[in-house]
């Protein structure tokens, strides 16, 4: 029988991390972060990594494990995450996946294969990106692989370059490697999703951004930049807006805050749409006073855990 895996998903700021601690303690679980940026060390504030006291209560995996100077591929995340799931399962405990990175979640729980990479091809495409802009490369992608172009936003330069890289290396459409219309899990999976009203999510995002800025996000971003962050790490919400503002010198503190808030709200909307399309997710009201008990009962009933 396939290993039992619990998951708690939803958009940023919905409240996953706090309730996950209580649920994990109740069902003898260990948490596996499904966040493509929390895996980086030194990005504590901007990625909202769980505080040390939470990590002492419940073991966490894929948190602050990788140097931000290193690139992170979905394939590497998949390998690290599955190794953590195997380790937790072998010790008789339950893996609880917690996060909102939709592609990385699916990479962990589904049989997705990832195509090859070539640094020389990628470097040339990135030179073209700098010269021509993301819109021009997205137009090229639309001609070569319309299905991929509809799934990748015109401003998502990193994904556009990756798609064009795969097409050039394999001679096949990038979209051929990802059957997003199927939701076949390789584990015995129980997925709970947390939801709130859009207005509530947006208000919580604004508060979180203020808290991050007050906690020293600007200093953390400056220290990270001085150490030479990878292209992947530079794309993290908050850091990216800070670096762009620093390089252009065009934004006031108020405008910078507004830019981070706007980008985070847009990201939250995409996350919600991604998980809403997943038929495996059973949704729970994050404001329900009985939420913790409901989640514990759901995992126990579905996975037959203690």
């Amino acid at each position: 029988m396939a290993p039992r895996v619990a998951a708690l998903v939803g958009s940023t700021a919905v409240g996953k991390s706090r309730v996950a601690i209580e649920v994990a303690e109740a069902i003898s679980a260990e948490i596996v972060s499904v966040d493509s940026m929390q895996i980086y060390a030194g990005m504590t504030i901007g990625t909202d990594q769980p505080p040390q006291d939470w990590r002492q209560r419940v073991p966490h995996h894929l948190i602050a494990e990788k140097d931000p100077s290193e690139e992170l591929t979905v394939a590497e995340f998949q390998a690290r995450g599955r190794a953590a799931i195997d380790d937790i399962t072998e010790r008789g405990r339950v893996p609880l996946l917690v996060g909102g990175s939709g592609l990385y979640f699916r990479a962990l729980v589904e049989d997705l294969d990832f195509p090859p990479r070539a640094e020389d091809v990628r470097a040339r495409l990135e030179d073209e990106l700098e010269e021509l802009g993301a819109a021009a490369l997205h137009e090229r992608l639309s001609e070569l692989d319309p299905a991929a172009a509809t799934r990748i936003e015109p401003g998502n330069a990193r994904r556009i370059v990756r798609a064009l890289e795969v097409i050039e290396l394999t001679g096949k459409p990038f979209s051929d490697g990802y059957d997003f219309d199927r939701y076949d899990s390789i584990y015995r999976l129980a997925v709970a999703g947390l939801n709130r009203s859009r207005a509530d999510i947006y208000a919580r995002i604004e508060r979180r951004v203020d808290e991050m800025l007050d906690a020293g996000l600007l200093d953390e971003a400056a220290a990270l930049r001085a150490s030479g962050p990878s292209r992947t790490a530079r794309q993290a919400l908050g850091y990216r807006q800070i670096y762009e503002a620093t390089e252009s010198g065009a934004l006031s503190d108020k405008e910078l805050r507004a830019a981070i808030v706007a980008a985070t709200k847009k990201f939250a909307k995409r996350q919600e749409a991604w998980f809403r399309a997943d038929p495996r997710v059973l949704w729970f009201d994050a404001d329900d006073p009985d939420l913790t008990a409901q989640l514990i009962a759901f995992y126990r009933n579905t996975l037959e855990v203690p």
Side-chain angles (χ1 to χ4, degrees):
M1 181 179 291
R4 296 174 295 185
V5 173
L8 183 62
V9 301
S11 70
T12 187
V14 77
K16 300 180 295 294
S17 298
R18 184 177 296 276
V19 72
I21 296 294
E22 299 175 359
V23 171
E25 289 178 324
I27 65 171
S28 298
E30 296 183 16
I31 292 173
V32 180
S33 169
V34 187
D35 186 301
S36 61
M37 297 299 172
Q38 285 189 347
I39 196 170
Y40 283 122
M43 298 173 66
T44 306
I45 299 170
T47 66
D48 197 32
Q49 291 176 356
Q52 285 295 334
D53 58 330
W54 291 10
R55 291 155 67 179
Q56 289 171 357
R57 287 172 59 184
V58 174
H60 283 62
H61 303 261
L62 306 191
I63 297 287
E65 291 184 1
K66 190 174 177 68
D67 192 285
S69 65
E70 300 172 340
E71 296 285 345
L72 175 70
T73 65
V74 184
E76 180 187 348
F77 188 92
Q78 181 187 65
R80 284 174 174 261
R82 289 184 179 175
I85 290 170
D86 290 344
D87 172 58
I88 295 166
T89 301
E90 288 170 2
R91 289 185 283 103
R93 296 176 67 81
V94 179
L96 174 58
L97 313 183
V98 181
S101 295
L103 175 60
Y104 290 77
F105 169 71
R106 295 192 65 173
L108 287 185
V109 303
E110 297 174 25
D111 189 19
L112 294 184
D113 293 323
F114 297 95
R117 309 179 74 90
E119 288 303 319
D120 57 337
V121 174
R122 187 175 188 86
R124 175 169 46 77
L125 288 168
E126 288 176 345
D127 288 342
E128 292 182 38
L129 173 68
E130 186 173 349
E131 179 183 354
L132 303 174
L137 267 64
H138 190 269
E139 184 176 348
R140 185 190 306 174
L141 180 62
S142 298
E143 297 172 357
L144 297 172
D145 188 353
T150 60
R151 296 182 183 276
I152 300 174
E153 294 187 358
N156 192 337
R158 188 163 67 97
R159 294 291 291 163
I160 294 169
V161 167
R162 176 59 174 150
L164 292 173
E165 177 190 15
V166 170
I167 292 169
E168 184 166 338
L169 290 174
T170 66
K172 299 178 181 179
F174 180 69
S175 55
D176 279 2
Y178 304 92
D179 187 355
F180 285 113
D181 294 327
R182 296 178 59 185
Y183 293 87
D184 297 330
S185 307
I186 62 174
Y187 300 113
R188 185 179 173 188
L189 187 65
V191 190
L194 298 189
N195 59 22
R196 296 179 183 270
S197 70
R198 183 68 55 78
D200 192 11
I201 288 288
Y202 284 179
R204 289 169 65 90
I205 286 172
E206 297 215 20
R207 288 197 298 271
R208 175 179 287 184
V209 170
D210 286 336
E211 291 168 356
M212 288 178 172
L213 290 170
D214 290 343
L217 177 58
L218 292 175
D219 290 338
E220 184 177 80
L224 177 67
R225 190 182 190 200
S227 68
S230 65
R231 289 187 297 265
T232 310
R234 284 180 62 92
Q235 295 303 309
L237 281 170
Y239 303 91
R240 177 180 179 179
Q241 287 71 37
I242 291 170
Y243 297 148
E244 289 175 349
T246 301
E247 290 161 6
S248 68
L251 297 183
S252 65
D253 289 347
K254 184 177 181 180
E255 290 170 328
L256 175 59
R257 175 196 180 274
I260 297 173
V261 166
T264 307
K265 288 179 179 179
K266 186 176 181 180
F267 180 58
K269 189 175 180 180
R270 292 201 306 270
Q271 288 177 300
E272 182 179 358
W274 182 287
F275 288 113
R276 285 289 178 188
D278 191 331
R280 295 168 297 192
V281 181
L282 182 65
W283 292 94
F284 293 82
D285 180 359
D287 275 330
D288 193 310
D290 295 324
L291 174 64
T292 302
Q294 291 173 1
L295 291 172
I296 292 169
F298 167 65
Y299 293 129
R300 284 177 172 166
N301 292 337
T302 307
L303 298 177
E304 299 176 328
V305 297

